[in-house]
Amino acid sequence: MGPVLLLWLAVCLSGSWAVDKGNFKTCDQSAFCKRQRAMKPGESPYRALLETMELTNTRLTLQLINDNNKVRLLLELYRLQGNITRVKINELKPLKPRYEVPDVLIREPPTEPLSLLSQDENGVVLSLGAESQRVIVSARPFRLDIVEGRDVLMSLNSRGLLGFEHLRMRKDTFSYKVTSTVASVWDNIKRVFSSQADPEAENKEGTDPANPAETAKEEEEKVEDGMWEETFKSHTDSKPSGPSAVSLDFSLPGVEHVYGIPEHADTLKLKTTDSGDPYRLYNLDVFQYELYNPMALYGAVPVMLSHNAQRTMGIFWLNAAETWVDISSNTAGKTVFGKMLDYVQGSSETPQTDVRWISESGIIDVFLMLGPTPRDVFSQYASLTGTQAFPPLASLGYHQCRWNYNDQEDVRSVDAGFDEHDIPYDFIWLDIEHTDGKRYFTWDPHKFASPKEMLQGLLDKKRKMVAIVDPHIKVDTNYKIHNEIRSRGFYVKNKDGGDYEGWCWPGSAGYPDFTRPDMRAWWASQFAYDQYEGAMENLYTWNDMNEPSVFNGPEVTMHKDAMHESWEHRDVHNLYGLYVHRATAEGLVERSGGVERPFVLTRAFFAGSQRYGAVWTGDNAAEWDHLKISIPMCLSLGLVGISFCGADVGGFFKSPSTELLVRWYQTGAYQPFFRAHAHLDTPRREPWLFGPENTALIREVIRQRYTFLPYWYQLFYLAYHTGEPVMRPLWVEYPQDPATFALDDEFLLGRDLLVHPVTEEGARGVTAYLPGKHEVWFDIHTFQKHNGGQNLYIPVTMSSIPVFQRGGSIIPRKLRVRRSSTCMEHDPYTLYVALDNQRTAEGELYIDDGHTFNYEKKELIHRKFSFANGVLSSVDLEPNAQFTTKSWVERIIILGASKPSMVTLKTADGENQLEFDFDASMSVLTIRKPGMNAGADWTVTLQ
């Protein structure tokens, strides 16, 4: 083990470790960001050459010219199905192809007809079809506006910050000679064919856009530091292709709130960046990250949502290179009093948010998702990149993890501890120490000598295991995985053509080129049971360090001039983690012959990662602020399609107080991915190690999680079908209520559960906002009824978890909690019917086998429950589906009810009266032992 790795391990294992911001670039230290950010608004050199416009039924193309250097760009504009507009800008004739992101879109998006409404020397107007939507392309300077009626929805290049660094030849001695020779040859060709030339066109533009040599000869552009080579700390980026950055500004009139562009440890509502760095999107391994700043973290989804009371829209910037996002607003910094003063004085200033995207390479390929509702935007984005993978039911249970469980006996002891303390769990996890010397796909021959015996012991209890498989491969000629990757030429290459090597957990490591389909197919094949020795059907996978993490690399990641076949790493960086995740998930599917759903957790991600599994928020710390930030971080991910999100319960670094640990369990139990995890340098923290009182509190909240598994499963089925987030901000359901727009200390699960976790140390109460002026909410613990449209103060104790069920909803739960979710498969349901002010309610129940893809063949049950006029009914939403269940309805609890004189049940087998109790003080009706099958048609009538 070399000195670099030893130093890194010493730092990592230090309990006092905190992020060293000096290891990561600011915008000023990133040459392309600094250059682009130096551009001044209102000085755009680009104009549209309207005479080059071509309009087909599905596409408009138009050339743009930079009047400073005469380089031409090609604009393509598409109207896509579902109220989406796509804008692509590339060089008209680049010296070589520029990178266009593959494999993120689930298909080539279907188009709809464009039609020309008007045209003159100043621009063109196109119809977008729906609701008087139009695109206005202005010529000088180039600008694009999307208009509906009299309202401008969005403008592109309205501030004149379009930037497109064209590929060029380097102006050193050698390149100058080549350029001069090419230019001379080109001049001779033009003289030969001068009779066919168009002198007017030549005079008009002053250069031939098809001749890059002439462009290079005539332009007098300033060569700035970092254009052809850039050094950060001890690392030099050779930049063989030179400057290639792209940028574009977007203006959003009437908008004050924008969200998204994860991953950042920041508030849900994105802040303005005028006085600091832009938000950065560049997948990085950041230990114990700082909070409330725009630094890049482990994943990058270049999607931003805007919202006001009238409309929700989205911007999807499809670029996988390092990206920075600037945000400014004309209302930023104004106090509430200042805004009120504007209103009283009749100020006519319309709020506006301006956003600018800056990427190091590639092209401009942007999708404008025009809503108008939040659900429309979710559907639009899902139509482009797909929906959240439908997970196995067991993965929605509780996961127990630490770095590391020591050996098989340790695993057996922890597993037995859960049974001894009557705490359910589904997955136990193994970190890197389970391997043979950090060689993934192997087991330590001494500590984990009989992995199948260990896995069988878990399987006998209907439990599962996750083992880590990272994408850095130990360079060791005695290691089969390394030898095969090297012999097949599958490693990423360095700039000189050799295999790229860096330092990571095994020491010297190679990095498989997951951008290659053949490499991904080979990787997937390694999960087969005859390849991955010791694996069984209850072993699943965790991909960590897949940013990729390179301990001795620039910013702890791969050099940008490393090569993925013909593309530089700078072009593909943010895709790497997605490709690792994809190949692993495909491997788990393939090992079962395509039958079983995979479960794979990833740390790095990109747009489209939702199709392959779950993510978590990385290496957090046992601090109250880290608990708080987990909420907006997961909310932000949900808004951009990644619903299966969670944070390390208790914090990865440091040791939580018992109060913090309990509060974190109470929060994590109501977040989609529920896993406790801890650093190897921290004391053990299994749930029963903090005294009987705290064990009871943790047991209770984990059991609560299990009672709600039917609801969680239904929400994930909905997310899989629609793209709607499982965990969502309140404004998604209450889009016209400004009080919800910046809330990020509470959230909704689906439409029907509102959660306000206790995240303040020593809290004796919290204030929750209950939305909906005409709605009611019921405390799920006490059944107390509260009116919506108010801030409600809630006294809390250590056992309190403020959770409310929306009046008008029906939520199925399973109250017989067993040691794992699989053990509860055939258990009965209790229906919680919360009546609204009209004394109605509705909900759904989804059931399948919980682990295969057979739901795609309609092997499922999907029921709709409705309550109106004193009648509760269950009807089939999938009458052509074929599935049966042994589960039944054992109890119905109606909140906000009146006392009936009689309750009757009607099924296909007949009609009978049911027993009931009524609590007049709380208006709660409990119907006991109705007993009907959960998949049957039935009605319950209150008389």
Side-chain angles (χ1 to χ4, degrees):
M1 187 176 289
V4 173
L5 185 60
L6 287 172
L7 176 61
W8 182 266
L9 285 171
V11 171
C12 292
L13 299 180
S14 168
S16 62
W17 169 262
V19 65
D20 180 358
K21 293 172 68 172
N23 284 330
F24 304 100
K25 289 183 180 180
T26 64
C27 179
D28 276 350
Q29 294 168 318
S30 183
F32 79 92
C33 182
K34 184 177 181 180
R35 286 196 306 273
Q36 294 294 314
R37 220 182 184 201
M39 292 173 60
K40 295 179 180 178
E43 299 181 5
S44 177
Y46 289 98
R47 60 186 169 91
L49 302 175
L50 298 180
E51 65 276 13
T52 67
M53 185 182 77
E54 296 182 11
L55 179 63
T56 67
N57 190 41
T58 60
R59 181 178 76 153
L60 174 138
T61 61
L62 182 67
Q63 292 181 28
L64 311 178
I65 190 168
N66 183 324
D67 281 328
N68 291 341
N69 59 25
K70 309 306 179 185
V71 173
R72 293 195 188 193
L73 307 178
L74 179 66
L75 167 76
E76 299 174 73
L77 188 144
Y78 302 83
R79 176 189 169 201
L80 305 182
Q81 286 182 9
N83 204 20
I84 306 170
T85 297
R86 183 180 192 179
V87 177
K88 294 179 72 174
I89 302 176
N90 198 352
E91 292 184 58
L92 179 64
K93 292 186 180 293
L95 282 177
K96 62 180 182 179
R98 298 178 69 113
Y99 190 71
E100 299 187 38
V101 176
D103 299 321
V104 168
L105 302 180
I106 56 175
R107 59 176 176 171
E108 188 62 27
T111 59
E112 292 187 342
L114 282 167
S115 59
L116 181 66
L117 296 179
S118 64
Q119 178 178 0
D120 59 23
E121 68 277 8
N122 298 314
V124 297
V125 181
L126 303 166
S127 171
L128 289 179
E131 300 183 16
S132 304
Q133 283 185 1
R134 304 180 305 284
V135 174
I136 301 172
V137 181
S138 302
R140 188 189 292 267
F142 163 70
R143 170 176 170 151
L144 193 151
D145 295 278
I146 297 180
V147 178
E148 184 174 282
R150 296 185 176 183
D151 296 325
V152 177
L153 302 182
M154 187 184 304
S155 301
L156 283 63
N157 203 39
S158 59
R159 294 193 298 151
L161 296 175
L162 167 63
F164 208 104
E165 294 181 334
H166 62 283
L167 301 180
R168 66 202 78 179
M169 292 185 235
R170 187 167 186 172
K171 293 182 179 180
D172 57 17
T173 304
F174 173 75
S175 295
Y176 180 77
K177 290 178 180 177
V178 173
T179 301
S180 300
T181 302
V182 172
S184 176
V185 171
W186 192 263
D187 287 340
N188 290 333
I189 291 173
K190 287 204 294 183
R191 278 195 292 272
V192 170
F193 293 99
S194 60
S195 59
Q196 301 176 29
D198 179 359
E200 290 185 12
E202 258 187 45
N203 292 337
K204 194 184 308 178
E205 305 305 343
T207 187
D208 186 335
N211 179 7
E214 183 172 319
T215 299
K217 181 178 70 176
E218 292 192 2
E219 66 188 17
E220 292 298 331
E221 294 182 313
K222 180 182 177 184
V223 177
E224 299 180 33
D225 288 343
M227 291 177 70
W228 292 94
E229 186 175 272
E230 183 175 359
T231 299
F232 178 68
K233 302 191 75 140
S234 62
H235 300 282
T236 297
D237 177 8
S238 62
K239 295 193 176 181
S241 296
S244 57
V246 297
S247 68
L248 184 60
D249 64 279
F250 301 78
S251 294
L252 302 164
V255 169
E256 293 183 77
H257 294 79
V258 290
Y259 315 90
I261 56 170
E263 182 176 40
H264 300 97
D266 209 348
T267 55
L268 175 64
K269 178 192 173 185
L270 296 171
K271 301 180 177 120
T272 57
T273 59
D274 298 319
S275 59
D277 260 9
Y279 284 95
R280 191 184 188 198
L281 295 172
Y282 191 60
N283 294 359
L284 292 172
D285 179 359
V286 184
F287 271 39
Q288 197 177 330
Y289 45 83
E290 279 193 10
L291 308 185
Y292 305 109
N293 72 45
M295 284 179 64
L297 289 179
Y298 311 97
V301 183
V303 176
M304 180 181 289
L305 277 68
S306 69
H307 178 73
N308 61 25
Q310 289 74 44
R311 193 176 204 98
T312 307
M313 296 186 294
I315 299 171
F316 173 26
W317 177 268
L318 183 52
N319 190 299
E322 179 186 348
T323 296
W324 300 78
V325 185
D326 254 326
I327 301 170
S328 59
S329 169
N330 62 2
T331 59
K334 284 191 177 181
T335 63
V336 173
F337 176 78
K339 293 179 181 180
M340 290 176 61
L341 189 63
D342 286 347
Y343 177 78
V344 171
Q345 294 177 343
S347 172
S348 60
E349 184 178 36
T350 301
Q352 178 168 304
T353 295
D354 296 310
V355 180
R356 188 185 184 201
W357 300 74
I358 304 169
S359 292
E360 184 175 15
S361 64
I363 69 167
I364 292 172
D365 189 2
V366 62
F367 297 83
L368 311 175
M369 301 173 288
L370 301 178
T373 70
R375 279 187 173 78
D376 290 329
V377 174
F378 301 144
S379 176
Q380 288 155 3
Y381 182 61
S383 75
L384 298 171
T385 67
T387 59
Q388 175 67 57
F390 189 31
L393 173 59
S395 66
L396 302 180
Y398 173 63
H399 300 250
Q400 182 65 36
C401 182
R402 76 172 279 110
W403 176 23
N404 200 88
Y405 287 118
N406 299 324
D407 50 32
Q408 287 183 213
E409 176 56 29
D410 198 7
V411 169
R412 189 206 61 77
S413 176
V414 172
D415 174 71
F418 278 90
D419 293 335
E420 180 183 345
H421 294 91
D422 195 23
I423 301 173
Y425 88 96
D426 269 271
F427 285 82
I428 190 166
W429 291 53
L430 296 180
D431 211 318
I432 55 177
E433 310 303 332
H434 84 277
T435 62
D436 181 7
K438 314 300 188 300
R439 298 170 181 87
Y440 303 108
F441 299 101
T442 70
W443 304 84
D444 185 296
H446 307 291
K447 296 179 179 179
F448 294 92
S450 306
K452 284 193 175 182
E453 178 184 319
M454 174 180 62
L455 288 165
Q456 187 62 52
L458 294 171
L459 188 61
D460 290 343
K461 293 184 176 182
K462 299 187 177 180
R463 287 172 173 157
K464 300 168 175 63
M465 174 172 277
V466 173
I468 199 166
V469 178
D470 287 348
H472 50 259
I473 302 301
K474 184 178 180 68
V475 176
D476 177 0
T477 55
N478 294 316
Y479 179 25
K480 181 190 76 168
I481 297 291
H482 163 70
N483 290 338
E484 287 209 34
I485 294 174
R486 175 161 285 180
S487 68
R488 294 169 185 262
F490 281 165
Y491 278 127
V492 175
K493 308 302 179 188
N494 59 37
K495 65 180 180 179
D496 299 317
D499 287 347
Y500 178 90
E501 291 185 14
W503 285 88
C504 209
W505 297 126
S508 185
Y511 291 78
D513 188 353
F514 285 90
T515 68
R516 296 179 55 165
D518 51 357
M519 167 60 213
R520 296 197 301 273
W522 178 85
W523 180 268
S525 73
Q526 298 309 295
F527 290 91
Y529 297 124
D530 61 354
Q531 296 293 323
Y532 191 167
E533 186 177 349
M536 291 177 56
E537 62 270 22
N538 63 331
L539 179 67
Y540 296 82
T541 308
W542 171 18
N543 293 147
D544 198 1
M545 317 297 285
N546 54 336
E547 294 75 26
S549 179
V550 182
F551 291 165
N552 61 335
E555 301 191 90
V556 201
T557 193
M558 188 173 285
H559 293 72
K560 288 182 175 179
D561 53 9
M563 296 300 296
H564 300 259
E565 297 188 295
S566 59
W567 298 108
E568 288 186 271
H569 184 72
R570 84 182 70 251
D571 299 311
V572 307
H573 176 84
N574 286 343
L575 278 175
Y576 191 85
L578 175 144
Y579 278 134
V580 176
H581 196 195
R582 172 181 172 173
T584 303
E586 289 174 349
L588 296 193
V589 174
E590 290 172 11
R591 74 177 185 180
S592 71
V595 173
E596 298 289 331
R597 287 176 245 169
F599 172 75
V600 184
L601 179 73
T602 182
R603 191 170 71 177
F605 51 84
F606 189 66
S609 286
Q610 68 270 13
R611 304 197 298 263
Y612 306 115
V615 307
W616 93 106
T617 62
D619 295 336
N620 60 2
E623 298 172 358
W624 285 93
D625 280 347
H626 276 263
L627 168 59
K628 294 172 192 173
I629 207 72
S630 71
I631 299 173
M633 289 182 76
C634 280
L635 287 174
S636 296
L637 281 161
L639 288 175
V640 299
I642 301 177
S643 273
F644 207 175
C645 169
D648 286 345
V649 169
F652 178 67
F653 287 105
K654 304 183 179 179
S655 297
S657 66
T658 53
E659 180 189 6
L660 175 57
L661 183 65
V662 169
R663 291 302 191 199
W664 213 317
Y665 268 101
Q666 292 171 343
T667 302
Y670 287 93
Q671 292 177 341
F673 177 55
F674 184 25
R675 181 186 75 153
H677 186 36
H679 192 282
L680 64 78
D681 200 35
T682 63
R684 296 289 284 255
R685 60 168 91 141
E686 282 73 44
W688 51 86
L689 297 179
F690 299 88
E693 183 178 341
N694 291 305
T695 299
L697 291 170
I698 294 171
R699 176 192 302 115
E700 171 57 26
V701 72
I702 294 177
R703 291 174 68 88
Q704 278 185 38
R705 169 67 170 223
Y706 276 77
T707 69
F708 277 106
L709 284 181
Y711 185 63
W712 281 107
Y713 200 47
Q714 171 201 320
L715 291 180
F716 270 93
Y717 184 69
L718 181 68
Y720 163 73
H721 272 284
T722 68
E724 294 179 17
V726 169
M727 177 181 172
R728 58 190 70 162
L730 271 63
W731 63 260
V732 168
E733 296 297 333
Y734 300 90
Q736 295 181 316
D737 183 354
T740 67
F741 292 176
L743 279 180
D744 61 9
D745 59 354
E746 62 183 84
F747 53 90
L748 291 167
L749 297 176
R751 296 178 58 203
D752 299 334
L753 280 184
L754 186 151
V755 186
H756 191 301
V758 181
T759 59
E760 294 285 347
E761 185 175 12
R764 297 189 176 186
V766 299
T767 299
Y769 180 68
L770 302 181
K773 289 183 179 179
H774 304 293
E775 296 198 8
V776 293
W777 295 86
F778 293 88
D779 186 311
I780 69 163
H781 308 293
T782 66
F783 300 149
Q784 186 171 351
K785 179 179 175 181
H786 302 280
N787 291 324
Q790 65 160 322
N791 287 298
L792 178 69
Y793 180 78
I794 308 156
V796 298
T797 65
M798 279 306 298
S799 65
S800 301
I801 315 167
V803 182
F804 301 88
Q805 182 174 343
R806 184 181 61 83
S809 67
I810 302 174
I811 292 179
R813 296 172 66 179
K814 285 191 172 184
L815 302 186
R816 301 188 187 185
V817 176
R818 303 185 191 274
R819 65 184 172 211
S820 73
S821 62
T822 306
C823 293
M824 298 166 61
E825 178 181 4
H826 303 302
D827 283 347
Y829 293 91
T830 295
L831 304 183
Y832 286 80
V833 182
L835 301 183
D836 61 18
N837 287 327
Q838 289 72 46
R839 304 181 69 77
T840 65
E842 62 181 24
E844 295 180 14
L845 172 64
Y846 176 82
I847 307 172
D848 62 19
D849 64 24
H851 58 94
T852 75
F853 288 102
N854 290 346
Y855 64 87
E856 295 177 345
K857 300 185 288 187
K858 295 296 182 182
E859 294 184 18
L860 56 88
I861 292 169
H862 195 186
R863 311 292 304 182
K864 180 176 181 180
F865 303 127
S866 300
F867 185 93
N869 302 316
V871 178
L872 175 63
S873 62
S874 173
V875 298
D876 200 343
L877 288 174
E878 293 278 3
N880 297 322
Q882 299 293 323
F883 192 72
T884 58
T885 179
K886 296 178 182 178
S887 296
W888 69 100
V889 178
E890 70 169 345
R891 189 182 299 105
I892 299 170
I893 299 175
I894 303 178
L895 312 181
S898 300
K899 183 177 182 179
S901 58
M902 183 170 60
V903 178
T904 59
L905 168 67
K906 184 176 181 180
T907 67
D909 297 327
E911 188 171 327
N912 60 291
Q913 291 189 19
L914 300 176
E915 299 176 3
F916 66 88
D917 295 325
F918 183 71
D919 182 344
S921 66
M922 299 301 294
S923 298
V924 175
L925 174 67
T926 302
I927 302 171
R928 302 191 181 280
K929 301 180 180 178
M932 56 282 199
N933 185 275
D937 291 341
W938 49 263
T939 58
V940 170
T941 303
L942 312 185
Q943 297 175 339

